[in-house]
Structures are given as structure tokens and as C-alpha cells.
Amino acid sequence: MLELLNSLFIAPFDYGFMQRALVAGLALSLAAPALGVFLMLRGMSLIGDAMAHAILPGVALGFLMAGFSLPAMSLGGILSGLLVAGLAGSVSHMSGHREDSAMASFFLISLAGGVMLVSLGGSSVDLTHVLFGSILAVDSTALVLIAAISSLIVVVLAIVFRALVVECLDPLFLRGQGMAGGLVHGIFLGLVVLNLTAGFQTLGTLMAVGLMMLPATTARFWSKRLEGLIGLGILIAMLSTSGGLLLSYHLELPSGPSIILLAGTCYVLSALLGRHNSLLDKLRRRDAPLVARDAD
Amino acid sequence: MARLALRDLSLAQGGRTVLEHVEGQFPDGAITALIGPNGAGKSTLVQGIMGLLKPSRGHIDCSVPRERRAWLPQQLALDLSFPMSVEELVMTGTWPSHGALKDYCGPHYLKAREVMARLGISHLAHRPLGELSGGQRQRALFGRTLMQEAELLLLDEPFANVDIETIEVLTGVLREMARQGTTILVVLHDLDQLTRLADDVLWLADGHAQWSTTQAVIDHRQRSLQSMPPLKPTHPTDAPHARTAK
């Protein structure tokens, strides 16, 4: 029995590449879900997706200039992500249009530009690598970079946490208190870009969003408190990462999709069986008799 | 001299002048109602006073420091589905003294408890905002404002979607704050609440403002009610000072 458990869960991590993949995945799991929870609560669930496309041209440029070097590609990704976030913010401020329309326009331009750059300078294999990542190819440099970015995100998020909460509820409160409008929002988007840049090596630019959003949206079926959402999100992300890696090892599946599909399975199960507002919860409530709640 | 005064103030929104040549002082320790038809510039004036909108002409003299100015927007402008409890919301009112980083400490929690007791929401302290009724939410938002220890308080339609009992509690709280010297401005639509709450009235219409007293507004309304067919509603724009206002 012990032997079976060992061969299922422990032995795969005897390999160096599996160890690095696990550590990278766990580091990302600590940082990403909290950002996802705030994106979700601000009604910006799809902004993460847009930002993921926005980092592509920078990653491609880094790749063209320095070859397959994670620091160069990450730096490019961060810069182009921040540029798109800044441009989208400025255009929406100038025009008065909602930020998501400007964001949609810029991320599409970025996506096309990025794919164009990769195709001009590399092969389709490179493109797949950038788009879908390969967590099993994480080397020590990449690991340090991922861990450093994740730690930075956690620390900065802790510093702006209260401001972020206050701003989510009442955006004008902080401006009334003299804080520059959009400062907190800008820092927050910067963190999202950082996180996606750390994630693209492991899961690819497109699926890095998955580790951010799916744990957050899943947690919503289980908790109504902010700390609960973040804590559960981290737990779900960690389980999905380790589970996904094991699945991909044993069944010879691609690792990135395994991780995200596992998180996706958690989401679907939670939507059906979760504690709050799931299908099961709705059915149960319909059958329950009226309970006298304290009068409103 | 009053803490808040408007000097030949003009305000514009998106290139369109909304208010022109507004003059006057808001008396300290009094409740002034801002009334007028939709689009008359009530919210624009509030934004100007909060420093969110630069005057296109003239200026706003306000000797109250920024962190002692509080603004309670309409409930609709707030995302009250955010997972936050009543107590947590009330505690965010400590922002002027605590900012983003300083830890909340015992005395502040005690004060928050006092505030909640005064507003009759102690039993809801740990309930999420999303589960509250309109009136309970408004009480919780007042709690945040009370924690701010504001010297200047601006409220936008504080009694919209709020039950009568809550209106009474909140009216009492506002009266008490005014007695202690807080300058209060309230955007109101309902003239019945005007009688109960306001000392003075600033009437906005057609880009201009007219100062008045609550009694004068009520008297005028009585007269216009008597002179009109019973079913026709009265509008603030029917008032003579709204038309003659300069």
C-alpha cells in the first residue's frame, strides 16, 4: 500500500525537472489566486485574459533579441503588458469610454503583433512554446525568477490590500481622501502583468490566466468572505498544480493543460455541489420551508 | 467666517458649463439641502467641493482639511456585493488616521462598536453587506462616515430606498453631528425630508443658484399646491426663485 502511494505521489518528484516544476507551480499558486479574487470581485474576470495577450509581443521581442532566455522574455513581457495597461487606461480616461473597450482593442493589436513577431523570427514550435508554455522545462534561473516575482506580488499585495478593498467598494473614497485617482488600480494591474509574466514560462501566456481565475471563481461557491476566497483559492491552485503534474507524469499528458483542466474540474464540481449558490444549494433551498430570519 | 464658501464659482462637466457665478457660504454646524431638478448641477457641485472637479472659474474656499471631508455617494454608486462585513466597512472610516498600513487597535474597535450601537446595527456587525436591506446598508455606510470624524459631510440622496425607521435614526445622527459643529450638505429630492432635516436650502436650476430657507421653500410649495389642480405633481422648477435666480 505504502509502496503504491509512494509510486503514485512521491516517486515522480525524484526527478529534478518534476521538482522544479512543482516548486514553480506552488510559487505561482501562492500569488495568483489573490489577484484572481480581486479581478473577479471588480467584475474584471476577463481583463486577466486580455493582459495575457498583451504580454505576448514583448515576450516575442525578447525571444527574437536574446533567444530562449527567460529573463529577456519576461522583461519584454512586463514592459509590453504595462504599456498596454497604461495605454488602455489613458485612452479610456481621454475618451470617457469604458476601460474594457480600450483594453480589448489594445490586446488584439498586441496579440496580432506578437504572433507576427514570433512567426517572422522563429518556427511554429517556438510559438507553441510561448503560447502554451512547458512547466517541465523550467530551469534554475527560471525558478528563481518565478519565485522572486511571486514573492514580490505577495508583499506588494499585502501593502496595498486595505486600499484595494476600500477602492473596490467605493472608488471615490480614496480620491476624496487625497490619493491620486487610479493609483491603486494601476499598481494592481501591474501586479497582474507581473504574475502573468511569471506564469507564461510554466503554463504559457494563454493558460497562465487559468491559475489566477479558476481558483478564484471556484472559491466563490464555497466562501462569502474575502479571506476565505483567497485562502481557498490558494489551496485549490496548489492542489491543481500538484495533481496536474502527477496526472501529466503518469498518463503522459501535456502538463499545462492538465493543471488547468484539473482546476476547471474543481470549478464545474463546485458549481454543481458548492456551499453557496451552486445548483445543489438552489435545489435544496427551494425545498426548504420558510425560515424566520431576523427582520430586515 | 464659514469653513466652506463659494466665490464666483463656475463648474463645467465635459466642456459643458453646469453652474455659473455661484456665491455664498455654507454656515458651520448647519444642514444645508441642495435641491433642484435633475441635471441642475447638484452632484457637480458636490464633486467640486470634494476636490474631484476643478472650477472653471472662481474658487471654493474650504478650510476643512481633506481627510476631514467625507462624502457619502448614492448607494447605487457603490459595489455592495463586495464580501465585507458591516464592522469591516465601519472600520474603513479610520482611513484618515490609519491609512493603508497602520494596524487597527483596541480603542478604534471600541469606537466602531459605539458607532454601530448608535445606528442600531450592533447585531449585524459580522453580516456581509450583500445580505443587508437598503436601510441597513445605509446605516452601515453612515457608520463609516461617523468613524471618519468629518467636519464637512456631503451626502447624495441619503434616504433613497431607505425605510422610515432608518430615516429617523439617520436624521437624528445628522442633527447631532450638526449640533457638534459639522457642516453638512445634503442632496435631496424629497421635499418632505427637507422639512425634517435642513436648516437652509441652496436651490440649483438652469445653471444658477439661489439661497433660501427651508421655511420659504415649504411655504412656496404649499402655495403652489393650493393653486394647482390636485393631481398635477409639483416640480422644484415651478418655483419662482428658480426662474428668477441669478
Side-chain angles (χ1 to χ4, degrees), chain B residues 1-7 24-31 49 59-66 68-69 149-154 176-185 211:
Chain B
M1 179 173 147
R3 280 183 293 206
L4 178 61
L6 313 175
R7 308 254 178 255
Q25 303 185 351
F26 293 89
D28 294 342
I31 302 179
I49 294 170
H59 48 103
I60 298 167
D61 284 339
C62 185
S63 59
V64 179
R66 245 193 139 149
R68 292 283 164 235
R69 299 179 210 176
E149 298 180 334
E151 289 168 29
L152 171 64
L153 174 57
L154 298 99
E176 172 71 26
M177 286 175 82
R179 217 177 3 258
Q180 289 170 1
T182 309
T183 308
I184 300 177
L185 274 71
W211 294 85

Side-chain angles (χ1 to χ4, degrees), chain B:
Chain B
M1 179 173 147
R3 280 183 293 206
L4 178 61
L6 313 175
R7 308 254 178 255
D8 188 29
L9 177 72
S10 297
L11 288 168
Q13 287 269 33
R16 189 177 69 92
T17 301
V18 182
L19 283 172
E20 258 183 336
H21 309 301
V22 183
E23 278 279 342
Q25 303 185 351
F26 293 89
D28 294 342
I31 302 179
T32 307
L34 292 179
I35 60 173
N38 287 332
K42 302 183 296 278
S43 307
T44 306
L45 182 58
V46 169
Q47 284 177 28
I49 294 170
M50 281 307 287
L52 303 177
L53 191 67
K54 269 216 153 76
S56 53
R57 229 190 107 131
H59 48 103
I60 298 167
D61 284 339
C62 185
S63 59
V64 179
R66 245 193 139 149
E67 65 274 14
R68 292 283 164 235
R69 299 179 210 176
W71 177 22
L72 191 57
Q74 290 188 36
Q75 274 197 35
L76 287 177
L78 305 173
D79 177 13
L80 292 171
S81 64
F82 195 84
M84 186 188 253
S85 73
V86 171
E87 187 182 42
E88 283 163 350
L89 174 67
V90 171
M91 288 303 284
T92 61
T94 59
W95 187 275
S97 57
H98 284 64
L101 291 176
K102 205 167 155 197
D103 220 0
Y104 297 146
C105 47
H108 286 93
Y109 276 109
L110 280 180
K111 195 177 156 213
R113 241 173 259 170
E114 271 169 37
V115 162
M116 287 188 285
R118 187 164 157 201
L119 292 163
I121 47 172
S122 300
H123 60 296
L124 303 171
H126 300 292
R127 283 268 285 275
L129 296 178
E131 289 180 9
L132 305 184
S133 71
Q136 291 168 335
R137 283 178 193 175
Q138 197 64 4
R139 292 185 197 209
L141 286 164
F142 260 66
R144 178 183 78 174
T145 309
L146 285 175
M147 285 298 279
Q148 269 177 277
E149 298 180 334
E151 289 168 29
L152 171 64
L153 174 57
L154 298 99
L155 305 121
D156 197 350
E157 287 290 334
F159 302 139
N161 294 320
V162 165
D163 58 291
I164 295 173
E165 201 194 320
T166 301
I167 294 180
E168 271 167 20
V169 171
L170 299 184
T171 306
V173 167
L174 288 177
R175 281 249 141 266
E176 172 71 26
M177 286 175 82
R179 217 177 3 258
Q180 289 170 1
T182 309
T183 308
I184 300 177
L185 274 71
V186 195
V187 175
L188 282 181
H189 270 115
D190 188 333
L191 291 187
D192 289 330
Q193 284 156 10
L194 189 71
T195 342
R196 224 176 299 174
L197 191 64
D199 305 300
D200 297 297
V201 174
L202 180 58
W203 198 314
L204 303 179
D206 305 324
H208 297 285
Q210 166 82 39
W211 294 85
S212 180
T213 62
T214 305
Q215 199 50 50
V217 173
I218 302 299
D219 288 349
H220 167 73
R221 191 190 175 220
Q222 295 287 332
R223 278 199 305 279
S224 61
L225 269 180
Q226 281 158 10
S227 64
M228 253 185 268
L231 280 175
K232 193 176 170 193
T234 51
H235 286 291
T237 37
D238 297 334
H241 13 268
R243 292 207 195 93
T244 57
K246 155 78 200 25

Side-chain angles (χ1 to χ4, degrees), chain A:
Chain A
M1 180 66 191
L2 269 180
E3 220 160 274
L4 180 70
L5 284 178
N6 182 51
S7 70
L8 277 181
F9 297 108
I10 310 293
F13 294 110
D14 286 344
Y15 295 97
F17 70 91
M18 281 294 279
Q19 286 171 8
R20 284 192 294 275
L22 182 69
V23 174
L26 292 182
L28 283 173
S29 305
L30 274 173
L35 296 174
V37 165
F38 278 107
L39 282 172
M40 173 181 74
L41 292 175
R42 308 181 109 192
M44 292 166 53
S45 296
L46 292 171
I47 292 291
D49 207 18
M51 296 310 298
H53 293 79
I55 67 172
L56 194 62
V59 173
L61 264 183
F63 174 70
L64 289 183
M65 286 160 72
F68 208 89
S69 136
L70 192 64
M73 291 161 76
S74 303
L75 188 67
I78 291 170
L79 291 179
S80 71
L82 292 179
L83 184 72
V84 167
L87 280 174
S90 326
V91 167
S92 99
H93 188 74
M94 177 199 76
S95 61
H97 299 163
R98 284 183 48 164
E99 196 179 9
D100 61 342
S101 68
M103 195 73 98
S105 316
F106 280 110
F107 99 70
L108 288 165
I109 298 172
S110 305
L111 177 65
V115 173
M116 182 72 86
L117 281 171
V118 177
S119 315
L120 286 178
S123 67
S124 60
V125 180
D126 299 325
L127 181 64
T128 342
H129 189 95
V130 171
L131 286 178
F132 303 114
S134 57
I135 193 169
L136 300 180
V138 172
D139 59 16
S140 316
T141 326
L143 189 57
V144 170
L145 194 72
I146 290 168
I149 291 181
S150 300
S151 314
L152 182 72
I153 290 171
V154 172
V155 171
V156 176
L157 200 59
I159 293 173
V160 298
F161 192 83
R162 192 184 291 166
L164 202 55
V165 168
V166 171
E167 207 203 36
C168 284
L169 184 91
D170 179 0
L172 291 171
F173 181 79
L174 291 182
R175 279 183 69 192
Q177 294 294 320
M179 190 180 262
L183 178 69
V184 182
H185 183 67
I187 295 178
F188 176 67
L189 277 185
L191 291 182
V192 171
V193 170
L194 269 178
N195 180 67
L196 292 173
T197 325
F200 91 87
Q201 158 80 21
T202 52
L203 299 162
T205 51
L206 298 187
M207 274 185 299
V209 194
L211 210 52
M212 203 155 71
M213 296 317 303
L214 281 170
T217 51
T218 307
R220 206 155 202 207
F221 289 107
W222 297 98
S223 176
K224 285 188 167 177
R225 301 194 50 81
L226 189 55
E227 308 87 76
L229 287 173
I230 294 176
L232 265 173
I234 291 175
L235 193 71
I236 294 163
M238 288 184 148
L239 286 176
S240 311
T241 313
S242 2
L245 279 175
L246 287 171
L247 275 179
S248 86
Y249 176 87
H250 290 297
L251 305 177
E252 292 179 20
L253 299 168
S255 53
S258 306
I259 293 172
I260 301 304
L261 279 177
L262 197 58
T265 311
C266 291
Y267 174 77
V268 173
L269 286 179
S270 303
L272 292 173
L273 308 171
R275 202 150 72 102
H276 303 297
N277 302 315
S278 66
L279 188 64
L280 184 70
D281 184 44
K282 296 258 181 234
L283 291 176
R284 206 190 291 148
R285 249 195 246 172
R286 200 168 47 190
D287 291 338
L290 272 177
V291 190
R293 302 184 64 169
D294 44 353
D296 283 357

